[in-house]
Amino acid sequence: RQLGMVVTEKWQLAPDVIGLRLLPAHGERRLNRLPGQYVDVLLADGRRRPFSIANGPQADGMIELHVRHVAGGGFTSQVAGALAVGDTLRVEAPLGTFVAREDSERPMIFVAGGTGIAPVKAIVEHFIELGTRRAMEVYWGARRADDLYLLPQIGQWQRQARQLRFHAVLSEEGPASGLRMGLAHEA
């Protein structure tokens, strides 16, 4: 369904990634969704921009988005610049089927690149909150170490869920980073 969402928080996650927190506008019902789904932001000219929701369902309907600023990108330039707390975005949601079954104990393996970590974050945090004992492997590929903007949070995941193993993979930064080099899907 389509609804208005108000920007309640905007912050810098990485040099080119903005975090947004959105709440349903006054009079709108919260989304009934699953961790791993996404929203389409509806633009005035009729175009759509998809963004994965980076958090599990919240009682207040809050959703978190991670938006990478693309040079020359109309909407992402707006997010990086003029979009402000209090502004309203029109979205269509929930969309997508990248969701994990709660009734399984099978291991989960996630491979993400860049802001593709957003739906993985939503799923992993949801399962940690459920108290799962499922083994989880998370591979996150980025160009440089400063693109790994969730490392403190991932450290918290590992403290909460000993069965979670995390692997950072860098494609551009040299071996001096101390992290694995290459592409995430090859790791």
Side-chain angles (χ1 to χ4, degrees):
R1 69 186 173 93
Q2 294 185 6
L3 71 154
M5 301 285 291
V6 176
V7 178
T8 60
E9 191 176 346
K10 175 181 171 181
W11 74 102
Q12 199 77 38
L13 284 164
D16 62 349
V17 179
I18 303 292
L20 295 177
R21 287 208 174 93
L22 310 173
L23 280 173
H26 181 71
E28 298 275 18
R29 294 179 325 193
R30 72 179 191 85
L31 291 171
N32 185 17
R33 62 184 179 82
L34 298 170
Q37 291 187 299
Y38 70 96
V39 301
D40 270 351
V41 175
L42 307 174
L43 306 180
D45 62 5
R47 291 181 296 153
R48 299 166 169 259
R49 293 294 178 263
F51 294 95
S52 294
I53 301 171
N55 64 307
Q58 307 288 312
D60 63 0
M62 186 274 291
I63 65 171
E64 178 181 322
L65 304 178
H66 299 174
V67 180
R68 179 173 307 281
H69 179 226
V70 177
F75 179 70
T76 65
S77 292
Q78 177 189 350
V79 169
L83 186 73
V85 169
D87 289 350
T88 300
L89 297 175
R90 192 98 186 128
V91 304
E92 185 173 317
L95 300 167
T97 58
F98 179 60
V99 296
R101 294 178 52 156
E102 291 181 8
D103 63 348
S104 173
E105 287 302 316
R106 295 175 66 188
M108 293 186 280
I109 300 173
F110 299 99
V111 180
T115 56
I117 195 68
V120 173
K121 174 186 175 294
I123 293 170
V124 168
E125 289 177 348
H126 178 71
F127 276 85
I128 289 172
E129 186 176 307
L130 291 176
T132 189
R133 293 187 171 174
R134 290 171 79 169
M136 294 182 277
E137 297 270 343
V138 177
Y139 291 82
W140 186 17
R143 293 180 307 246
R144 297 172 304 278
D146 63 353
D147 292 329
L148 298 169
Y149 57 86
L150 290 178
L151 288 182
Q153 201 156 11
I154 291 169
Q156 182 180 351
W157 297 349
Q158 290 175 304
R159 288 185 295 279
Q160 291 176 288
R162 299 284 183 204
Q163 75 279 16
L164 184 141
R165 292 182 31 191
F166 172 70
H167 314 273
V169 185
L170 301 180
S171 63
E172 291 181 10
E173 198 164 83
S177 69
L179 298 173
R180 192 170 183 171
M181 296 301 302
L183 300 175
H185 71 281
E186 293 173 352

